[in-house]
């Protein structure tokens, strides 16, 4: 098995990234009638390369093929002076799961957060995502917090 390399995303990655992004959205049932508008995808992509945006992306590459992605962002909070790092999206190709890709991406986000001066990385997952939770229990502590959301009409 060849090595997985985690690196910053580049503009040349769009076609492969978009396949992973589509898989991620499909996993979370944001496809078909619930699909994200293309404008959201294109805006997300542009944010990765905008100097004034706090949103960043890493990709995992193996044998010239992207096999995973991690999107993360920094934000201020009332509980610490330095910015917190939120791991917004994490996705590994289904045929690569259980092979260390997700772990490598998470560890790379940890490293980027340290370099940025952040003292915490946190994320959430769906309660039914048992596969991911097996990994998460190995690389982080469960916070005990429950996430709520309310979609506001525009």
């Amino acid at each position: 098995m060849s090595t997985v390399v985690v690196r910053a995303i580049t503009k040349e990655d769009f076609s492969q990234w978009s396949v992973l992004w589509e898989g991620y959205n499909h996993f979370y049932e944001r496809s078909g009638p619930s699909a994200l508008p293309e404008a959201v995808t294109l805006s997300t992509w542009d944010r990765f390369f905008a100097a004034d945006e706090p949103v960043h992306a890493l990709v995992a590459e193996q044998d010239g093929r992207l096999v995973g992605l991690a999107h993360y962002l920094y934000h201020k909070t009332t509980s610490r002076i330095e910015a917190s790092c939120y791991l917004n999206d994490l996705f590994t190709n289904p045929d690569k799961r259980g092979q260390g890709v997700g772990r490598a991406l998470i560890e790379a986000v940890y490293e980027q957060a340290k370099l940025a001066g952040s003292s915490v990385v946190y994320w959430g997952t769906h309660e039914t995502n048992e596969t991911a939770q097996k990994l998460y229990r190995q690389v982080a502590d469960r916070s005990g917090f429950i996430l709520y959301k309310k979609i506001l009409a525009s």
Side-chain angles (χ1 to χ4, degrees):
M1 180 183 300
S2 60
T3 304
V4 172
V5 175
V6 176
R7 61 172 175 77
I9 201 163
T10 67
K11 290 186 178 185
E12 291 76 25
D13 292 325
F14 182 77
S15 62
Q16 290 189 64
W17 170 85
S18 62
V19 172
L20 292 169
W21 180 239
E22 184 178 314
Y24 176 80
N25 286 306
H26 178 74
F27 180 83
Y28 281 110
E29 299 178 356
R30 294 188 302 208
S31 59
S34 306
L36 289 180
E38 183 178 6
V40 172
T41 292
L42 295 176
S43 178
T44 297
W45 177 256
D46 288 342
R47 287 177 178 159
F48 300 147
F49 305 101
D52 62 339
E53 285 283 351
V55 182
H56 306 277
L58 298 172
V59 290
E61 183 176 27
Q62 186 176 42
D63 298 325
R65 176 178 163 234
L66 297 188
V67 295
L69 60 78
H71 304 151
Y72 60 100
L73 58 98
Y74 298 107
H75 67 88
K76 301 289 183 170
T77 182
T78 59
S79 61
R80 53 184 28 89
I81 294 171
E82 68 281 356
S84 295
C85 179
Y86 177 62
L87 176 53
N88 201 136
D89 309 308
L90 179 70
F91 183 74
T92 300
N93 249 357
D95 66 334
K96 296 296 180 183
R97 292 192 183 136
Q99 298 179 32
V101 176
R103 179 185 298 269
L105 284 161
I106 291 170
E107 290 175 355
V109 171
Y110 289 168
E111 187 59 33
Q112 291 303 307
K114 286 180 195 174
L115 290 171
S118 184
S119 64
V120 65
V121 176
Y122 73 100
W123 64 92
T125 192
H126 196 272
E127 63 190 41
T128 61
N129 193 352
E130 278 297 321
T131 301
Q133 289 180 56
K134 288 176 188 172
L135 169 61
Y136 299 163
R137 285 190 288 272
Q138 295 172 23
V139 299
D141 299 317
R142 189 168 175 182
S143 69
F145 283 89
I146 299 170
L147 180 68
Y148 289 88
K149 74 176 180 179
K150 170 73 174 164
I151 305 297
L152 303 175
S154 45

